Amino acid sequence: MIQVVILAAGESSRFWPLNYQHKSLIKIMGKPIIWYTTEGLKKAGMKDIIIVQGPKRDVEEELTPHLKSGGGPNLKIRYVIQKTPEGMGNAIWQTRNLIKDRFFVMNAERVDGGEIIEKSKIKSLGTRQAGAKVVLVGQHTNNPQFFGIMRIKDNRVLEIVEKPKKGKEPSNVRVVGVYLLPLDFFENYQKVKKEKYDFEETLSNYMKKNEVKLAFLWKFRKEIPPLKYPWHLFLVEKYLFDKFLRKKISKSAKIAKSAIIQGKVSIGDNVKIFENAVIKGPCYIADGCVIGNNSLIREYVNLENDVLIGANAEVKNCVFQEDIHIHSGYFGDSIFGKGCRLGAGNITANVRIDRGEVKSKIKNQKSKINTGLNSLGVIMGENTKTGIHCSFMPGVLIGSNCLIYPNSVIFKNIGT
């Protein structure tokens, strides 16, 4: 039986302004993202999962209520603590007393991890008969400068080059982030200098003396949802909606006769949908939500518990966490942390005037980076409040607990 280590202890600094909690705790369709990761692994036959979390134990606290009794009869989940965010190698090191043999490693937001294990050749390549103790999953990329890139010969990984400069790439195959490692990883890890990339250093040393195999992913799916920057959440939402969303209307929901509901829409308990509202799926509307008169909700909208969409609002391709109130206005391709309050007439501009790719600036980075998106609105942390008639330019990020005065036009990031 192969064990699985899930990494959920980092600061998620590149995920600002949604890093007020671990990024795997963002909810989609009522459950934290990490839940989908554990469920996928369970379906792939994995029965022993070890989750590395931070000292706040927030992952354990948020995930446990969504698991069946003890994780179900065929799934054992245990938690270990990484006291300080000292990198991937140190996080794996915390599991050393629980690992019995070979083990998988992946990040908590790897919602397709079970699918990768099932459909790639990672398990067969990692058998003792195949002779490879370490197997890495790889996928072709058009943007090697953003990833760890493999140097490959005859399906053997010889080296990993982190974020190579354009024209200096050893290949166009990136590291996906699913690893099959041997028990002696810990012995090898003890020999390297402890720093940010000591995990990669350990792998590099291992490659010099042992055969490390490559398992390709591109053959069964073109795109893997990452969760490196906050706008990557749209890819994860789409993946989960397409895979898991089911049409459902709770018996306790109160829906006006003149309201229109089209497509795949899930409506939870005690939802109120007022006159002339239009909802075009795929959409998820959780318990206790209110959709006001003449509102339009369309195209991959996720509303968690107790969200209020006021009259005459339009919401398109958005992720709302719990207890958010908005009034009239337009909210497109945007993400809002829990507890936000937005005044009437707020507008999120989600397309550049020249229709070019939207760029955004992440906290502590000197310049804007490409998002890969032509449509991106605002991304807002938790408990931020705005006055009436505020406008947000494409790709603007707003921190948590901010106050934005009426009639403001926001061109740059706000908050810390």
Side-chain angles (χ1 to χ4, degrees):
M1 181 177 65
I2 302 177
Q3 296 171 288
V4 184
V5 172
I6 295 178
L7 305 177
E11 290 182 318
S12 307
S13 58
R14 288 176 297 191
F15 207 64
W16 183 84
L18 302 176
N19 63 341
Y20 53 84
Q21 59 184 354
H22 192 270
K23 58 187 174 183
S24 69
L25 299 181
I26 295 288
K27 288 184 179 178
I28 301 293
M29 293 186 288
K31 294 181 173 63
I33 287 171
I34 190 174
W35 180 85
Y36 295 99
T37 303
T38 60
E39 282 296 294
L41 291 170
K42 182 178 178 181
K43 290 177 182 178
M46 303 295 104
K47 298 180 180 180
D48 190 349
I49 296 175
I50 303 164
I51 298 176
V52 184
Q53 62 178 338
K56 293 193 300 184
R57 298 179 179 267
D58 53 349
V59 174
E60 184 176 359
E61 181 181 341
E62 291 287 337
L63 177 60
T64 300
H66 297 281
L67 297 170
K68 294 179 180 178
S69 177
N74 298 317
L75 182 63
K76 177 167 64 174
I77 293 182
R78 291 172 288 177
Y79 298 88
V80 297
I81 303 296
Q82 185 185 27
K83 293 181 179 179
T84 56
E86 297 181 32
M88 184 173 175
N90 179 266
I92 298 171
W93 176 253
Q94 308 308 316
T95 70
R96 62 193 181 280
N97 295 326
L98 299 177
I99 298 297
K100 305 301 181 184
D101 202 335
R102 295 171 304 149
F103 61 103
F104 290 112
V105 174
M106 65 185 67
N107 287 329
E109 66 276 11
R110 191 81 261 176
V111 293
D112 55 354
E115 185 180 4
I116 289 172
I117 290 173
E118 282 188 297
K119 296 185 178 180
S120 73
K121 294 182 179 181
I122 188 168
K123 282 200 290 187
S124 60
L125 287 171
T127 60
R128 290 179 173 83
Q129 292 80 4
K133 288 185 176 182
V134 175
V135 183
L136 309 182
V137 178
Q139 185 184 34
H140 290 297
T141 177
N142 294 322
N143 298 293
Q145 67 273 19
F146 296 142
F147 304 101
I149 301 298
M150 303 180 190
R151 188 184 305 278
I152 307 164
K153 182 178 181 180
D154 299 328
N155 210 48
R156 179 177 175 179
V157 184
L158 304 178
E159 183 185 10
I160 298 175
V161 179
E162 284 295 326
K163 300 176 183 177
K165 293 182 179 180
K166 194 170 184 178
K168 302 292 184 180
E169 310 92 343
S171 74
N172 66 342
V173 180
R174 71 178 179 93
V175 178
V176 166
V178 177
Y179 309 84
L180 179 60
L181 302 178
L183 184 60
D184 64 359
F185 166 84
F186 299 103
E187 179 183 339
N188 285 272
Y189 177 73
Q190 285 183 293
K191 298 176 183 178
V192 304
K193 181 181 179 181
K194 302 303 177 283
E195 53 188 0
K196 183 178 180 180
Y197 292 111
D198 53 17
F199 172 75
E200 289 79 4
E201 182 67 20
T202 303
L203 280 184
S204 295
N205 291 345
Y206 204 91
M207 292 171 189
K208 295 174 183 177
K209 300 179 181 179
N210 302 274
E211 188 173 41
V212 175
K213 290 283 190 179
L214 166 65
F216 262 121
L217 264 186
W218 60 273
K219 291 182 179 180
F220 80 88
R221 191 153 53 79
K222 293 182 179 179
E223 186 177 354
I224 300 171
L227 204 54
K228 182 177 181 180
Y229 296 112
W231 50 84
H232 290 158
L233 190 59
F234 293 118
L235 289 174
V236 174
E237 180 204 30
K238 186 178 187 305
Y239 173 84
L240 294 177
F241 267 41
D242 292 346
K243 193 175 181 67
F244 296 110
L245 183 65
R246 300 292 179 265
K247 189 173 182 178
K248 169 192 169 184
I249 298 178
S250 170
K251 293 181 179 179
S252 63
K254 296 180 179 180
I255 303 174
K257 291 182 180 180
S258 59
I260 297 173
I261 299 174
Q262 299 176 344
K264 192 183 293 184
V265 177
S266 177
I267 298 175
D269 295 339
N270 302 309
V271 169
K272 296 179 181 179
I273 301 177
F274 286 85
E275 286 77 13
N276 300 313
V278 177
I279 302 172
K280 296 184 177 182
C283 292
Y284 174 84
I285 302 174
D287 299 346
C289 288
V290 177
I291 311 299
N293 304 67
N294 306 306
S295 290
L296 172 60
I297 314 293
R298 62 185 178 93
E299 299 175 29
Y300 292 96
V301 170
N302 183 88
L303 306 181
E304 293 298 328
N305 289 346
D306 303 315
V307 168
L308 185 151
I309 305 296
N312 304 303
E314 180 178 357
V315 181
K316 173 251 180 186
N317 190 36
C318 285
V319 177
F320 283 64
Q321 295 301 283
E322 303 96 325
D323 189 34
I324 295 168
H325 293 188
I326 67 171
H327 299 279
S328 61
Y330 176 73
F331 306 86
D333 302 281
S334 297
I335 305 170
F336 299 94
K338 56 188 177 182
C340 289
R341 299 287 187 269
L342 288 92
N346 276 213
I347 300 291
T348 63
N350 59 333
V351 178
R352 285 173 39 150
I353 195 168
D354 63 358
R355 299 304 188 262
E357 180 182 349
V358 178
K359 297 183 179 181
S360 189
K361 186 176 180 181
I362 293 296
K363 182 182 178 183
N364 297 329
Q365 290 189 338
K366 294 181 179 179
S367 58
K368 289 186 176 182
I369 60 175
N370 295 329
T371 65
L373 301 173
N374 291 107
S375 297
L376 176 62
V378 67
I379 300 177
M380 187 176 290
E382 64 177 346
N383 300 320
T384 282
K385 298 176 174 62
T386 75
I388 62 171
H389 301 301
C390 293
S391 299
F392 301 88
M393 294 300 104
V396 165
L397 309 183
I398 309 295
S400 296
N401 303 306
C402 294
L403 293 174
I404 300 177
Y405 285 10
N407 292 312
S408 298
V409 180
I410 310 301
F411 288 91
K412 297 181 180 181
N413 293 355
I414 295 175
T416 57

